[in-house]
């Protein structure tokens, strides 16, 4: 994985098996990571340099649909 400049990514499902490992890999390569997890799900305690957001990606999709003219 090669990064360019100050890359930032959003990982959905970050507290799942794949998302968790993806976050760790990205952080290890200097990428700034924001992690989206479901409310009520456990956080990622061993990954400290991570911005954790609580929510549901479907809510964001619904919000975007409502903004269209």
């Amino acid at each position: 994985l090669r990064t360019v400049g100050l890359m930032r990514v959003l990982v959905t499902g970050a507290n799942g098996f794949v998302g968790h490992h993806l976050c760790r890999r990205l952080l290890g390569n200097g990428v700034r990571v924001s992690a989206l997890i479901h409310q009520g799900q456990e956080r990622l305690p061993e990954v400290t340099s991570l911005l954790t957001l609580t929510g549901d990606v479907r809510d964001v999709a619904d919000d975007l649909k409502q903004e269209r003219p």
Side-chain angles (χ1 to χ4, degrees), residues 23-59:
C23 287
R24 291 176 60 99
R25 184 73 175 272
L26 290 168
L27 288 166
N29 283 290
V31 177
R32 294 170 32 194
V33 178
S34 298
L36 180 64
I37 62 172
H38 285 133
Q39 187 169 358
Q41 298 290 322
E42 63 184 65
R43 297 193 176 256
L44 304 166
E46 64 279 351
V47 182
T48 57
S49 59
L50 178 72
L51 173 62
T52 303
L53 307 168
T54 304
D56 191 317
V57 72
R58 294 173 291 189
D59 295 338

